[in-house]
Amino acid sequence: MKIVLLGPPGAGKGTQAKMLAKQLQLPHISTGDLLRQNVAQGTELGNQAQDFMNRGALVPDELVSKMLDERFTQPDVKKGFILDGYPRTLNQAKVLDTLLQARNMLIDLVVYLDTSESVIIQRLSGRLACSVCGTNFHTQNMPPKKPMTCDHCQGSLYQRQDDKEETIRKRLEVYRKEFSPLFDYYEARKKLHRIPADGDSKIVLDTIIGLCAKRQDDSVKI
Ligand code: AMP
């Protein structure tokens, strides 16, 4: 099953992708995580991407698409994947189709996590990430047991540079500008499923799992 999660920053794409990956035993591919790894490792790509990320701007398509192409060469992708944070532009959606076609693959499901602006701001401004294992926490919605310490690996938690209020606004602005053509692209191909995502993450997960099961049934009937 090849699943793409779409939605504004703070819609819960990362959270849902991690839970889905565990449940469906598929790799979770997050372009944001891959870019942050490159920044942390000081690679050439990381150095080129860092400034865009800190400003809440999009990293140029060709850099991100090349990085994704490389990720697709790994064997775990053959059984499917959960893609989170890509595509973000119409051009990226077209590139994704090309990358997949070259490997005889097609997207099965595109899920749009529909989230209100007040929930987005609340989620992002309180988000904390583990510097070691990447698990997300939230100062109010999901506080760690010990202040600023990861429950799973004891790594220290930090606020992402791009989760500061000013940058959140910029990221939302970028998102709104790019989103509509992307939405239309998948809607025209009858791949898009829009689900409400302001509420409990378990309910959102169940809805996505239901869509996956239906998609599998439909493809058996075909
Ligand atoms: P995320 O973790 O998905 O919120 O991504 C964090 C940041 O990484 C974004 O604000 C962008 O600067 C960059 N980024 C992640 N994915 C992409 C993408 N598909 N295209 C361009 N920039 C991206």
Side-chain angles (χ1 to χ4, degrees), residues 9-23:
K13 298 187 295 297
T15 305
Q16 292 301 328
K18 283 190 183 71
M19 294 193 290
L20 275 172
K22 204 168 160 194
Q23 190 146 339

Side-chain angles (χ1 to χ4, degrees), residues 31-32 35-36 52-53 57-59 64 85-86 88 92 160 162 171:
T31 46
L35 286 166
R36 280 185 288 280
F52 294 99
M53 295 172 78
L58 291 182
V59 174
V64 190
Y86 191 103
R88 268 173 149 99
Q92 289 185 3
R160 272 171 47 176
D162 58 353
R171 287 163 68 201

Side-chain angles (χ1 to χ4, degrees), residues 9-10 13 30-33 35-36 49-61 64-65 67 84-89 92 124 127 160 162-163 167 171 174:
K13 298 187 295 297
S30 152
T31 46
D33 284 351
L35 286 166
R36 280 185 288 280
Q50 186 164 30
D51 180 51
F52 294 99
M53 295 172 78
N54 287 347
R55 284 189 282 118
L58 291 182
V59 174
D61 278 359
V64 190
S65 303
M67 178 182 78
D84 146 28
Y86 191 103
R88 268 173 149 99
T89 62
Q92 289 185 3
L124 291 184
R127 178 160 74 177
R160 272 171 47 176
D162 58 353
D163 279 346
T167 323
R171 287 163 68 201
V174 170

